[in-house]
Protein backbone atom coordinates (compact mmCIF):
# COMPACT_ATOMS: atom_id res chain seq x y z
CA UNK A 1 0.00 0.00 0.00
CA UNK A 2 1.81 3.12 -1.25
CA UNK A 3 -0.31 5.74 0.57
CA UNK A 4 0.39 9.28 -0.70
CA UNK A 5 3.13 9.64 -3.29
CA UNK A 6 4.68 13.02 -4.11
CA UNK A 7 7.05 13.79 -6.93
CA UNK A 8 9.60 15.23 -7.31
CA UNK A 9 11.31 15.13 -3.90
CA UNK A 10 13.55 18.10 -4.72
CA UNK A 11 13.35 20.87 -7.30
CA UNK A 12 15.20 24.08 -8.07
CA UNK A 13 13.42 26.61 -10.25
CA UNK A 14 14.38 29.96 -11.66
CA UNK A 15 12.14 32.94 -10.99
CA UNK A 16 9.34 33.02 -13.52
CA UNK A 17 9.43 29.33 -14.40
CA UNK A 18 6.36 27.16 -14.01
CA UNK A 19 6.11 23.60 -12.79
CA UNK A 20 3.68 20.99 -11.48
CA UNK A 21 4.07 19.11 -8.22
CA UNK A 22 2.45 15.71 -8.46
CA UNK A 23 0.42 13.98 -5.76
CA UNK A 24 -1.25 10.58 -6.01
CA UNK A 25 -3.00 8.44 -3.40
CA UNK A 26 -4.20 4.86 -3.65
CA UNK A 27 -6.53 4.77 -0.63
CA UNK A 28 -9.67 6.02 -2.41
CA UNK A 29 -9.71 9.11 -0.17
CA UNK A 30 -12.21 11.80 -1.06
CA UNK A 31 -10.36 14.69 0.58
CA UNK A 32 -6.98 15.88 -0.68
CA UNK A 33 -5.03 19.00 0.18
CA UNK A 34 -1.78 20.85 -0.39
CA UNK A 35 0.20 22.54 2.37
CA UNK A 36 3.38 24.50 2.49
CA UNK A 37 5.59 24.41 5.56
CA UNK A 38 7.96 27.24 6.41
CA UNK A 39 10.05 27.83 9.55
CA UNK A 40 8.07 29.72 12.15
CA UNK A 41 4.90 29.63 10.02
CA UNK A 42 3.80 26.04 10.49
CA UNK A 43 1.62 24.23 7.97
CA UNK A 44 -0.46 26.53 5.77
CA UNK A 45 -3.22 25.27 3.54
CA UNK A 46 -2.87 26.22 -0.13
CA UNK A 47 -5.77 24.43 -1.86
CA UNK A 48 -7.98 21.48 -1.09
CA UNK A 49 -10.48 19.18 -2.79
CA UNK A 50 -13.45 17.30 -1.34
CA UNK A 51 -13.85 15.06 -4.39
CA UNK A 52 -13.17 14.73 -8.10
CA UNK A 53 -14.07 17.93 -9.93
CA UNK A 54 -14.31 20.02 -6.73
CA UNK A 55 -11.53 22.28 -5.49
CA UNK A 56 -11.36 25.28 -3.18
CA UNK A 57 -8.83 27.76 -1.88
CA UNK A 58 -7.06 27.55 1.43
CA UNK A 59 -5.35 30.39 3.30
CA UNK A 60 -2.43 30.98 0.89
CA UNK A 61 -3.69 30.20 -2.66
CA UNK A 62 -2.07 33.05 -4.62
CA UNK A 63 0.38 31.86 -7.27
CA UNK A 64 -0.91 28.28 -7.24
CA UNK A 65 -3.51 26.35 -9.24
CA UNK A 66 -5.00 22.90 -8.69
CA UNK A 67 -7.34 20.53 -10.46
CA UNK A 68 -8.90 17.19 -9.48
CA UNK A 69 -9.91 15.18 -12.51
CA UNK A 70 -9.67 11.81 -10.71
CA UNK A 71 -10.02 10.64 -7.12
CA UNK A 72 -6.38 9.55 -7.08
CA UNK A 73 -4.51 12.61 -8.38
CA UNK A 74 -4.26 16.19 -7.14
CA UNK A 75 -1.48 18.14 -8.90
CA UNK A 76 -0.34 21.58 -7.74
CA UNK A 77 0.80 24.04 -10.40
CA UNK A 78 3.10 26.97 -9.78
CA UNK A 79 2.23 29.49 -12.47
CA UNK A 80 5.28 31.80 -12.32
CA UNK A 81 7.68 30.84 -9.55
CA UNK A 82 8.85 33.50 -7.09
CA UNK A 83 11.52 33.26 -4.35
CA UNK A 84 8.70 33.59 -1.78
CA UNK A 85 7.49 30.17 -2.92
CA UNK A 86 10.65 28.51 -1.67
CA UNK A 87 9.25 26.02 0.81
CA UNK A 88 8.52 22.39 1.59
CA UNK A 89 5.24 21.28 0.05
CA UNK A 90 3.13 18.45 1.46
CA UNK A 91 0.15 16.70 -0.04
CA UNK A 92 -2.31 15.05 2.37
CA UNK A 93 -5.45 12.97 2.00
CA UNK A 94 -8.31 11.80 4.19
CA UNK A 95 -11.55 9.84 4.01
CA UNK A 96 -14.85 11.15 5.29
CA UNK A 97 -16.30 7.82 6.20
CA UNK A 98 -13.45 6.59 8.33
CA UNK A 99 -11.19 7.71 11.14
CA UNK A 100 -10.13 11.37 11.31
CA UNK A 101 -6.67 12.56 10.45
CA UNK A 102 -4.63 12.92 7.30
CA UNK A 103 -2.10 10.74 5.54
CA UNK A 104 0.79 12.88 4.33
CA UNK A 105 3.21 12.42 1.50
CA UNK A 106 6.95 12.71 2.09
CA UNK A 107 7.13 16.25 0.72
CA UNK A 108 8.73 18.24 -2.10
CA UNK A 109 11.54 20.64 -1.26
CA UNK A 110 11.32 23.54 -3.69
CA UNK A 111 13.90 26.29 -4.06
CA UNK A 112 13.23 29.27 -6.32
CA UNK A 113 16.32 31.28 -7.24
CA UNK B 1 -4.82 35.64 18.14
CA UNK B 2 -4.37 32.30 16.38
CA UNK B 3 -7.11 29.67 16.80
CA UNK B 4 -4.52 27.18 18.06
CA UNK B 5 -1.49 28.15 20.13
CA UNK B 6 1.50 25.86 20.63
CA UNK B 7 4.86 26.72 22.16
CA UNK B 8 7.49 25.92 19.48
CA UNK B 9 10.18 25.12 22.04
CA UNK B 10 12.75 23.72 21.50
CA UNK B 11 12.35 21.29 24.37
CA UNK B 12 15.37 19.21 25.43
CA UNK B 13 15.05 16.38 27.97
CA UNK B 14 17.21 13.44 29.15
CA UNK B 15 16.31 9.92 28.11
CA UNK B 16 13.68 8.41 30.41
CA UNK B 17 12.04 11.74 31.30
CA UNK B 18 8.31 12.36 31.16
CA UNK B 19 7.52 14.89 28.45
CA UNK B 20 4.47 17.14 28.45
CA UNK B 21 3.44 18.91 25.23
CA UNK B 22 0.49 21.30 25.17
CA UNK B 23 -1.81 23.31 22.96
CA UNK B 24 -4.55 25.80 23.69
CA UNK B 25 -7.40 26.71 21.37
CA UNK B 26 -10.20 29.21 21.11
CA UNK B 27 -12.89 27.55 18.94
CA UNK B 28 -15.36 25.60 21.06
CA UNK B 29 -16.67 23.82 17.92
CA UNK B 30 -13.56 21.65 17.66
CA UNK B 31 -14.48 17.98 18.15
CA UNK B 32 -11.43 15.97 17.09
CA UNK B 33 -8.05 16.63 18.63
CA UNK B 34 -4.96 15.11 17.08
CA UNK B 35 -1.25 14.85 17.62
CA UNK B 36 1.13 14.38 14.72
CA UNK B 37 4.80 13.53 14.87
CA UNK B 38 7.17 14.84 12.22
CA UNK B 39 10.71 13.58 11.92
CA UNK B 40 13.26 15.79 10.21
CA UNK B 41 12.76 15.94 6.43
CA UNK B 42 9.66 13.73 6.59
CA UNK B 43 5.91 14.32 6.38
CA UNK B 44 3.79 14.49 9.55
CA UNK B 45 2.28 11.20 10.71
CA UNK B 46 -0.79 10.83 12.87
CA UNK B 47 0.22 9.72 16.36
CA UNK B 48 -3.06 9.85 18.28
CA UNK B 49 -6.49 11.38 18.12
CA UNK B 50 -9.20 12.01 20.70
CA UNK B 51 -12.85 12.76 20.17
CA UNK B 52 -14.25 15.40 22.55
CA UNK B 53 -12.98 15.40 26.14
CA UNK B 54 -11.09 12.74 28.04
CA UNK B 55 -7.92 10.71 27.95
CA UNK B 56 -6.55 8.20 25.50
CA UNK B 57 -3.53 6.01 26.08
CA UNK B 58 -1.36 4.17 23.56
CA UNK B 59 1.76 2.58 24.96
CA UNK B 60 4.03 5.33 26.30
CA UNK B 61 1.79 8.08 24.90
CA UNK B 62 -1.25 9.65 26.59
CA UNK B 63 -3.44 12.32 25.03
CA UNK B 64 -5.67 14.49 27.20
CA UNK B 65 -8.38 16.93 26.22
CA UNK B 66 -9.95 19.44 28.61
CA UNK B 67 -12.70 21.18 26.63
CA UNK B 68 -13.73 23.36 29.57
CA UNK B 69 -10.26 24.93 29.60
CA UNK B 70 -9.72 24.57 25.83
CA UNK B 71 -6.43 22.81 26.52
CA UNK B 72 -4.94 19.60 25.14
CA UNK B 73 -1.84 17.72 26.20
CA UNK B 74 0.37 14.89 24.99
CA UNK B 75 2.42 13.03 27.59
CA UNK B 76 5.34 10.80 26.67
CA UNK B 77 6.54 8.43 29.39
CA UNK B 78 10.03 6.94 29.48
CA UNK B 79 11.09 9.14 26.56
CA UNK B 80 13.56 7.68 24.08
CA UNK B 81 16.02 9.30 21.66
CA UNK B 82 13.78 7.97 18.86
CA UNK B 83 11.03 10.30 20.16
CA UNK B 84 13.12 13.28 19.04
CA UNK B 85 10.90 15.01 16.50
CA UNK B 86 8.51 17.91 16.08
CA UNK B 87 5.05 17.32 17.55
CA UNK B 88 2.12 19.16 15.99
CA UNK B 89 -1.34 19.45 17.44
CA UNK B 90 -4.29 19.74 15.07
CA UNK B 91 -8.00 20.19 15.57
CA UNK B 92 -11.03 19.55 13.44
CA UNK B 93 -14.44 21.09 13.45
CA UNK B 94 -16.58 18.06 12.57
CA UNK B 95 -18.81 20.17 10.35
CA UNK B 96 -16.03 21.80 8.36
CA UNK B 97 -15.17 19.32 5.60
CA UNK B 98 -12.16 17.71 7.30
CA UNK B 99 -10.20 20.98 7.42
CA UNK B 100 -7.69 20.97 10.24
CA UNK B 101 -6.38 23.89 12.25
CA UNK B 102 -2.74 23.37 13.14
CA UNK B 103 -0.42 24.42 15.91
CA UNK B 104 3.08 25.52 14.91
CA UNK B 105 4.65 22.39 16.39
CA UNK B 106 7.00 21.82 19.33
CA UNK B 107 10.53 20.60 18.62
CA UNK B 108 11.60 17.87 21.08
CA UNK B 109 15.09 16.49 21.58
CA UNK B 110 15.58 13.47 23.88
CA UNK B 111 19.23 13.17 24.83
CA UNK B 112 20.83 9.76 25.56
Amino acid sequence: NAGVTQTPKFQVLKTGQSMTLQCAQDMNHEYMSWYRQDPGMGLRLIHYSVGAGITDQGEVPNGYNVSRSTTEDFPLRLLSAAPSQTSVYFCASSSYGRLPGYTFGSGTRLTVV
Amino acid sequence: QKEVEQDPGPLSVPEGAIVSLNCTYSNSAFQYFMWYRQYSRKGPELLMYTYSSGNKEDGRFTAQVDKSSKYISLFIRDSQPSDSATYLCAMEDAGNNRKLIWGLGTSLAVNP
Side-chain angles (χ1 to χ4, degrees):
Chain A
N1 205 357
V4 177
T5 303
Q6 286 185 242
T7 56
K9 293 192 182 305
F10 302 94
Q11 184 71 48
V12 178
L13 285 180
K14 293 183 178 178
T15 297
Q17 286 185 318
S18 63
M19 79 161 293
T20 299
L21 279 62
Q22 302 291 345
C23 175
Q25 53 92 7
D26 61 358
M27 298 169 286
N28 203 31
H29 283 175
E30 303 92 343
Y31 181 92
M32 296 186 74
S33 54
W34 277 101
Y35 285 90
R36 59 179 290 174
Q37 189 175 38
D38 303 288
M41 304 291 288
L43 285 165
R44 291 185 290 169
L45 182 64
I46 304 171
H47 285 285
Y48 67 98
S49 169
V50 299
I54 307 169
T55 63
D56 206 348
Q57 296 181 351
E59 61 181 299
V60 289
N62 292 342
Y64 307 95
N65 270 357
V66 291
S67 60
R68 184 99 179 265
S69 56
T70 67
T71 299
E72 295 78 19
D73 300 297
F74 191 44
L76 177 72
R77 282 182 288 277
L78 278 70
L79 309 173
S80 178
S84 61
Q85 294 178 304
T86 294
S87 186
V88 181
Y89 291 84
F90 289 104
C91 179
S93 72
S94 180
S95 175
Y96 291 108
R98 301 171 206 160
L99 299 174
Y102 296 171
T103 301
F104 279 83
S106 56
T108 295
R109 290 186 170 271
L110 176 68
T111 301
V112 182
V113 298
Chain B
Q1 184 187 1
K2 292 175 69 72
E3 279 192 281
V4 176
E5 300 278 0
Q6 184 176 11
D7 186 341
L11 188 59
S12 181
V13 301
E15 183 175 352
I18 297 174
V19 176
S20 172
L21 305 167
N22 311 293
C23 291
T24 59
Y25 64 95
S26 56
N27 188 345
S28 57
F30 290 144
Q31 297 275 10
Y32 284 105
F33 303 88
M34 302 167 211
W35 288 96
Y36 285 78
R37 178 175 61 196
Q38 185 176 21
Y39 290 116
S40 180
R41 297 183 173 266
K42 301 288 187 184
E45 57 176 338
L46 181 64
L47 191 58
M48 297 181 70
Y49 75 90
T50 308
Y51 177 71
S52 195
S53 280
N55 293 2
K56 187 170 186 178
E57 189 172 319
D58 184 1
R60 297 184 293 110
F61 298 87
T62 299
Q64 282 187 354
V65 174
D66 182 348
K67 292 194 79 175
S68 61
S69 302
K70 296 189 175 67
Y71 188 88
I72 71 170
S73 301
L74 177 71
F75 298 97
I76 307 174
R77 291 183 299 281
D78 188 24
S79 56
Q80 302 295 309
S82 58
D83 296 327
S84 298
T86 296
Y87 290 81
L88 300 101
C89 63
M91 305 181 189
E92 178 183 324
D93 173 357
N96 199 11
N97 268 334
R98 284 286 197 219
K99 286 173 69 174
L100 296 184
I101 308 301
W102 295 86
L104 290 181
T106 300
S107 176
L108 171 67
V110 180
N111 305 303

